[in-house]
Amino acid sequence: RASSSAGDNGDEDAGRMDESQALEILSITLQTSREEGSRRYKQLLMRFHPDKFNDDSEFRVMAEKKTKRINLAWALIKDRLPNGDQGT
């Protein structure tokens, strides 16, 4: 089995993700509205959806790991983002 590159340990890193890593994965800040964060999350999921890589198993495995990290990042950070309707 081929070893994964540094920083891409998939499930091994899942329990150790912190807030700054989650923000980096999603390319957002804590000032990003929850609506915009959700939009970014969905864009990333579409971009790295494993079914897009069904013809090459190496890329599919990478996409599955990336998708797991995107999901974990969103689960960790979504409740910390401000709602867009706070001013109303």
Side-chain angles (χ1 to χ4, degrees):
R1 184 176 176 200
S3 63
S4 42
S5 62
D8 185 23
N9 294 330
D11 295 333
E12 296 171 23
D13 287 341
R16 296 192 302 248
M17 183 181 296
D18 65 22
E19 185 177 274
S20 64
Q21 290 170 317
L23 292 169
E24 183 177 338
I25 287 168
L26 297 170
S27 298
I28 60 174
T29 69
L30 285 177
Q31 289 74 41
T32 303
S33 71
R34 191 172 300 164
E35 181 180 342
E36 182 59 33
S38 176
R39 191 171 329 162
R40 179 67 181 145
Y41 163 71
K42 291 173 185 176
Q43 288 172 341
L44 287 168
L45 285 181
M46 292 297 291
R47 181 176 178 193
F48 292 104
H49 196 284
D51 288 348
K52 287 187 169 189
F53 304 98
N54 60 1
D55 59 336
D56 188 330
S57 62
E58 183 179 333
F59 287 116
R60 185 178 181 89
V61 169
M62 178 276 308
E64 288 170 351
K65 288 180 180 181
K66 186 78 170 174
T67 299
K68 285 180 185 178
R69 292 195 47 85
I70 292 166
N71 282 321
L72 181 64
W74 181 244
L76 181 68
I77 208 71
K78 67 181 177 183
D79 292 333
R80 301 256 322 173
L81 300 176
N83 287 327
D85 61 353
Q86 286 182 343
T88 56

